[in-house]
Each structure stands twice: as structure tokens, then as C-alpha cells.
């Protein structure tokens, strides 16, 4: 779990992303539950953090939990906390759960599609009743937390396959905000590259830059891994590259991104 009150870095240079940001700004001032969806690596967590920073809860805790990173049996005690003696190995005095840690603020349940069905039912009760029970306790604690969620999975399909509770899906999906993939906002790629170059040059004490040909290749790439893939590549280039990155310095899979084969091309022409 992560907690931060810093304003997240969001680059908006495309119509697709502007539409997403307009929706975030509109819903931020309410306490509506929001589900962020989109491909892996598009920046759903950044968008969720922006929602918090624009809300009236912005000076209260922002807690982010990756539901896929913690095994199911441990996830419940992580979220709800537990009382002393709740189970073997429980700390004396118990432990506060993330719902309580986020009191007054916002809790992001990232990768919510990975939640076990049993825990989905308990999350639904929290959303409905605005209260939590620690593991091993029969005493409820009133909760004032905005819960938002993010997923790269098709929750609606999972509902149809009985892998996700329909009642929780509809409770979460009061507002569904889709973060578009990078290939639908390519005009942002040069700005993202510039931003990440600045971040990693500063981090590693380098002064690496990209020439226009290398930049052009990267803009035309499909970016299956989206912003996360782009960020990882720039970090790699800053660590390993010379002062100016040319196409020859790019990994092979990025050097070929501009090759377009027509159906009439022979193998020799290609």
C-alpha cells in the first residue's frame, strides 16, 4: 500500500486524455464511487490520484492498495485490520487496517478484478453500510472513506462468468472512467519522453537526449505496455545510452516500428 499527498504528474496533450480529465474534474468534487478501467500501464493509478488531489479530501490520506500483490488470506487483515488474538501470529494489540488508515481520505483498490469472491462480499458491505469490522471483532467502526477502484480486466464479462459479484460491480461502477491507451494519444509521447528524460537524468546524474529520428520512431510505436513501457524504456536509455540517443541506440524492436508492409510487398522488398 502507498500513501501520498503530492499532486500527481499528468500530461494532457490529446483530445482523448482531455475528455478523461474533464470527467475526473467533474466527478472529483462528489463522493461518488469511481471505477477506472483501461489497458495495463495506461496510468489508471495516476488518474485515480489526480481525482483525489482535485477532491475536497485532498489534504487527507490517499492510500493505494494493489489487490493482486497480496495473497487472498492476508488481504482481508490488510484492509480491515484485526484485534489482538484474532488468529495465530496476530500482533498483540491488533493492527489497524487500510480502511481506517484512509479515514477521511481516499482508498484506491487497484487491480480489483483480482479480489477473491469472499472478500468481494465484505467490500460490498463496507460500501453499503459505511462501516468496517476488524477481523476477530464484533464491533463496527464508522467509516468516512471514498473508495475508488481500478482494473485492466473486463469486469462485466467476469460478472457473466461468475468470477465477479454483479452487486459489487454495479456499486463500483457508479462512474466508469476509461483511461485511453497511449496509441490513441500519440501526440503526448514527446511530452512524456521529455518528462521521463528529466526525471531519470536527474536520478542518475546524466544528461541524455533523443535525436529527432529516434523520437519519430518512438512516436510511431504501438506501445502495447503503454506509459509504463515508455517509462521503462526511457530509464533504460538514460542508464545505458550515450549523451544523444539515435535510432541505432534503440532496442531492435523499437528500430523497426516504422516499417509498414503492404500486401503486395515481396520478401526481398520488405
Amino acid at each position: 500500500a502507498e500513501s501520498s499527498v503530492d499532486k500527481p504528474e499528468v500530461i494532457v496533450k490529446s483530445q482523448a486524455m482531455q475528455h478523461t480529465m474533464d470527467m475526473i474534474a467533474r466527478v472529483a468534487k462528489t463522493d461518488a464511487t469511481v471505477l477506472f478501467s483501461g489497458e495495463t500501464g495506461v496510468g489508471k493509478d495516476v488518474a485515480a490520484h489526480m481525482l483525489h488531489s482535485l477532491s475536497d479530501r485532498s489534504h487527507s490520506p490517499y492510500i493505494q492498495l494493489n489487490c493482486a500483490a497480496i495473497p487472498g488470506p492476508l488481504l482481508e487483515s490488510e484492509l480491515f485490520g484485526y484485534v489482538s488474538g484474532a488468529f495465530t501470529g496476530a500482533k498483540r494489540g491488533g493492527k489497524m487496517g487500510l480502511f481506517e488508515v484512509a479515514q477521511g481520505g481516499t482508498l484506491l483498490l487497484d487491480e480489483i478484478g483480482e479480489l477473491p469472491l469472499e472478500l468481494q462480499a465484505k467490500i460490498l458491505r463496507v460500501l453499503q453500510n459505511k462501516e468496517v469490522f476488524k477481523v476477530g471483532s464484533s464491533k463496527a467502526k464508522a467509516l468516512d472513506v471514498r473508495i475508488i477502484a481500478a482494473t485492466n480486466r473486463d469486469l462485466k464479462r467476469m460478472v457473466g462468468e461468475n468470477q465477479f459479484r454483479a452487486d459489487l460491480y454495479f456499486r463500483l461502477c457508479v462512474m466508469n472512467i476509461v483511461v485511453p491507451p497511449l496509441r490513441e494519444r500519440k501526440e503526448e509521447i514527446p511530452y512524456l519522453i521529455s518528462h521521463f528524460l528529466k526525471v531519470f537524468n536527474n536520478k542518475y546524474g546524466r544528461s541524455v537526449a533523443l535525436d529527432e529520428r529516434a523520437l519519430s520512431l518512438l512516436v510511431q510505436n504501438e506501445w502495447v505496455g503503454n506509459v509504463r513501457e515508455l517509462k521503462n524504456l526511457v530509464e533504460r536509455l538514460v542508464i545505458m545510452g550515450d549523451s544523444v540517443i539515435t535510432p541505432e541506440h534503440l532496442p531492435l524492436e523499437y528500430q523497426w516500428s516504422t516499417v509498414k508492409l503492404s500486401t503486395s510487398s515481396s520478401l526481398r522488398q520488405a
Side-chain angles (χ1 to χ4, degrees):
E2 297 176 17
S3 176
S4 175
V5 293
D6 298 330
K7 191 168 183 179
E9 184 76 36
V10 178
I11 290 171
V12 182
K13 298 290 181 181
S14 67
Q15 194 171 353
M17 200 60 185
Q18 185 60 58
H19 175 68
T20 298
M21 288 305 303
D22 288 345
M23 289 185 69
I24 289 172
R26 193 177 292 256
V27 77
K29 296 301 181 183
T30 73
D31 251 359
T33 308
V34 178
L35 176 67
F36 287 94
S37 55
E39 296 176 9
T40 183
V42 291
K44 297 182 293 294
D45 54 340
V46 177
H49 196 172
M50 177 58 73
L51 177 78
H52 170 77
S53 73
L54 294 173
S55 76
D56 294 334
R57 298 176 179 267
S58 60
H59 296 293
S60 299
Y62 174 76
I63 306 296
Q64 177 178 332
L65 176 70
N66 185 330
C67 298
I70 300 173
L74 298 178
L75 201 50
E76 182 177 1
S77 60
E78 190 71 24
L79 277 168
F80 292 85
Y82 55 80
V83 295
S84 185
F87 49 82
T88 304
K91 289 180 183 176
R92 184 180 297 175
K95 180 187 175 185
M96 187 183 290
L98 292 181
F99 281 121
E100 285 187 79
V101 174
Q103 191 76 293
T106 306
L107 174 63
L108 168 64
L109 299 175
D110 198 6
E111 299 197 42
I112 197 165
E114 310 302 324
L115 272 181
L117 281 166
E118 182 187 348
L119 200 48
Q120 290 177 27
K122 294 181 178 181
I123 299 290
L124 178 63
R125 284 200 295 273
V126 171
L127 285 166
Q128 289 174 334
N129 303 330
K130 303 291 183 185
E131 62 183 21
V132 290
F133 290 87
K134 285 187 175 182
V135 176
S137 173
S138 58
K139 186 178 179 182
K141 181 177 178 66
L143 198 65
D144 174 28
V145 173
R146 182 182 197 168
I147 296 170
I148 55 181
T151 185
N152 58 16
R153 301 186 67 180
D154 185 346
L155 293 188
K156 198 168 185 178
R157 181 184 56 77
M158 290 178 69
V159 168
E161 296 173 354
N162 296 319
Q163 295 177 340
F164 200 85
R165 292 181 63 107
D167 44 10
L168 177 58
Y169 170 71
F170 289 115
R171 192 84 192 197
L172 289 170
C173 205
V174 174
M175 283 294 300
N176 183 15
I177 297 179
V178 179
V179 183
L182 196 51
R183 64 182 173 276
E184 292 179 12
R185 44 185 171 119
K186 288 195 170 186
E187 51 268 67
E188 292 175 358
I189 292 175
Y191 296 95
L192 286 164
I193 289 173
S194 176
H195 169 69
F196 292 137
L197 278 172
K198 183 178 179 182
V199 168
F200 293 119
N201 275 326
N202 184 56
K203 179 178 179 179
Y204 296 112
R206 307 284 321 269
S207 56
V208 174
L210 262 72
D211 78 356
E212 287 298 323
R213 294 171 302 145
L215 182 61
S216 178
L217 279 170
L218 296 184
V219 168
Q220 294 178 66
N221 190 65
E222 284 302 294
W223 298 109
V224 177
N226 293 292
V227 180
R228 185 183 294 123
E229 180 188 355
L230 177 62
K231 180 180 179 180
N232 289 348
L233 174 67
V234 173
E235 182 171 16
R236 177 177 169 186
L237 292 173
V238 168
I239 293 171
M240 302 298 293
D242 297 326
S243 58
V244 178
I245 302 295
T246 66
E248 296 73 32
H249 294 114
L250 297 175
L252 282 175
E253 62 266 34
Y254 298 99
Q255 292 183 29
W256 288 88
S257 62
T258 54
V259 174
K260 302 284 191 297
L261 300 181
S262 71
T263 53
S264 61
S265 292
S266 68
L267 182 58
R268 184 178 296 277
Q269 286 171 324

